[in-house]
Amino acid sequence: MTKSKVKILLLYTGGTIGMVKDFKTGSLKTFNFKNLLDRIPELQLLDCKIDTVSLKTPIDSSNMKPKYWLQIAEIIESNYSKFDGFVVLHGSDTMSYSASMLSFMLENLAKPVIFTGSQLPIGDLRTDAKENLITSIQVASMQKKGKPVIKEVCLYFEYKLYRGNRTTKLNAEHFQAFVSSNYPDLAESGVHLKINDEYLFKPNLRKFFKVNKNLDENIAIIKLFPGIKKEVLESVVNILNLKAIIIETFGTGNCTTEKWFIDLLRQAILKGIYIINITQCTGGSVMMGHYETSSELKKIGVISGKDMTTESAVAKLMYLLGQNISHNTFKIKYEMSLRGELS
Ligand code: ASP
């Protein structure tokens, strides 16, 4: 009996990767993904069966919002048992946000979900799309003893496989557009595809796959800068129905010690608003209490985002706010690793 082929679902959400140049007008437009196999004949050489599906209206990822995350999650949910792995084609601009969000929405995921895209359209002569797409499909197809090797949401770009919720888009021009400063690469593609097994996420396989669909967008981010005025923080804290604020602080989670600043945060916390401390630095972690300039934050009950990226901090916040949990549980869950998003 011949071994049945691994089945991969390719989900096109939009972005540069899926665009081709219209020879008449010269402008970039999306092409029909049903004809993907004709466009990239190399895909037929892969030892897997590929089906394609597209969002109803593919988008530039700068228009990403919870409504589309829900569509992506629901497509994966309704195809979960039929496929061995999923590759999500996505614009690079907000890919790290989406990969982070899907990691929280897809609970007890036991199959690979690989986000990828490209800096140049797939129809461009110098495109980076083909390598990104082909290797993503290969990574999603990898099996050991009939089970997927990768069991988490990843991002593949320019020869590297990253844990999705650890990535940040760092460069708007280079093919190497993403970075994972606080977590090692999961795999590197060279002559061989080298998987770093010790860093892969190991889910509890006894738990059932479940999709969390309730996301709460009532959040805000404030990036601190020297000279920030009271009115700025005041206006954010007073936003109607606001449930949480991420403060992007300096270094290891430090901020001004001016009284008005701490007072406003304290009042917000007393009103029930969660305040999350995330560092502006691309690498390293928040350590509240390490300097005098962060001790006060710890005392008033600010939650530590530790070494999470801002993208992950946003995703985790929308996800946990949608969970209807007590303030205590919220703080405990936010500060612990749920999907390998923090160290
Ligand atoms: N603006 C595009 C997007 O994020 C850029 C890209 O695809 O890389 O959809």
Side-chain angles (χ1 to χ4, degrees), residues 6-261:
V6 170
K7 293 197 197 86
I8 301 297
L9 183 64
L10 199 56
L11 160 54
Y12 179 56
T13 68
T16 305
I17 189 165
M19 298 179 180
V20 281
K21 206 169 243 166
D22 184 315
F23 285 115
K24 281 192 199 133
T25 63
S27 57
L28 289 172
K29 57 172 194 182
T30 51
F31 73 90
N32 184 352
F33 248 71
K34 291 246 177 306
N35 304 331
L36 183 75
L37 294 181
D38 305 334
R39 289 249 168 217
I40 315 170
E42 294 93 325
L43 290 182
Q44 302 191 20
L45 299 174
L46 293 171
D47 193 22
C48 58
K49 189 178 170 309
I50 304 167
D51 273 7
T52 56
V53 59
S54 172
L55 287 192
K56 273 172 244 137
T57 326
I59 54 162
D60 183 301
S61 79
S62 304
N63 281 319
M64 187 45 76
K65 54 179 162 181
K67 162 181 143 180
Y68 299 116
W69 285 328
L70 204 61
Q71 286 182 24
I72 299 172
E74 283 178 341
I75 290 175
I76 293 175
E77 181 180 37
S78 58
N79 288 285
Y80 194 69
S81 57
K82 292 181 237 152
F83 290 87
D84 301 292
F86 302 85
V87 173
V88 183
L89 301 178
H90 194 289
S92 62
D93 287 349
T94 62
M95 199 188 297
S96 292
Y97 285 94
S98 295
S100 300
M101 185 49 95
L102 267 292
S103 79
F104 293 111
M105 293 176 87
L106 307 177
E107 193 166 342
N108 305 322
L109 181 69
K111 296 185 179 185
V113 174
I114 316 292
F115 276 76
T116 196
S118 64
Q119 294 280 55
L120 285 175
I122 211 151
D124 195 289
L125 260 188
R126 293 176 49 250
T127 190
D128 51 331
K130 285 193 182 181
E131 200 285 318
N132 286 348
L133 174 58
I134 289 169
T135 310
S136 293
I137 296 173
Q138 279 186 324
V139 167
S141 315
M142 286 175 78
Q143 301 238 324
K144 208 176 196 172
K145 294 186 187 150
K147 296 267 181 281
V149 171
I150 311 283
K151 303 178 193 74
E152 60 179 304
V153 178
C154 299
L155 189 154
Y156 182 82
F157 223 86
E158 192 63 6
Y159 302 108
K160 285 188 174 178
L161 182 73
Y162 309 99
R163 174 164 298 155
N165 58 31
R166 291 293 197 144
T167 61
T168 294
K169 184 173 179 184
L170 196 74
N171 201 296
E173 279 179 24
H174 293 168
F175 285 146
Q176 177 104 48
F178 290 88
V179 69
S180 167
S181 300
N182 286 332
Y183 198 74
D185 307 335
L186 302 183
E188 203 166 334
S189 163
V191 174
H192 302 288
L193 196 53
K194 189 179 167 297
I195 304 284
N196 298 321
D197 289 296
E198 68 271 39
Y199 299 125
L200 299 180
F201 190 72
K202 309 207 173 44
N204 181 345
L205 297 174
R206 276 187 294 247
K207 292 194 171 168
F208 286 112
F209 173 63
K210 155 181 178 206
V211 181
N212 299 301
K213 300 183 183 177
N214 212 13
L215 306 177
D216 193 326
E217 307 157 61
N218 289 302
I219 68 168
I221 303 184
I222 293 188
K223 182 172 183 148
L224 290 192
F225 55 91
I228 188 169
K229 292 188 71 174
K230 182 179 176 189
E231 291 75 15
V232 175
L233 184 60
E234 210 164 37
S235 63
V236 174
V237 166
N238 288 321
I239 294 172
L240 203 67
N241 293 330
L242 190 78
K243 306 237 178 74
I245 305 172
I246 294 171
I247 313 266
E248 277 199 2
T249 53
F250 309 119
T252 51
N254 309 315
C255 64
T256 169
T257 46
E258 279 183 77
K259 190 172 174 306
W260 64 264
F261 185 81

Side-chain angles (χ1 to χ4, degrees), residues 230 233 237 257-270 296 300:
K230 182 179 176 189
L233 184 60
V237 166
T257 46
E258 279 183 77
K259 190 172 174 306
W260 64 264
F261 185 81
I262 301 295
D263 282 350
L264 275 177
L265 291 186
R266 186 185 294 109
Q267 283 157 25
I269 291 171
L270 288 174
E296 212 49 41
I300 63 172

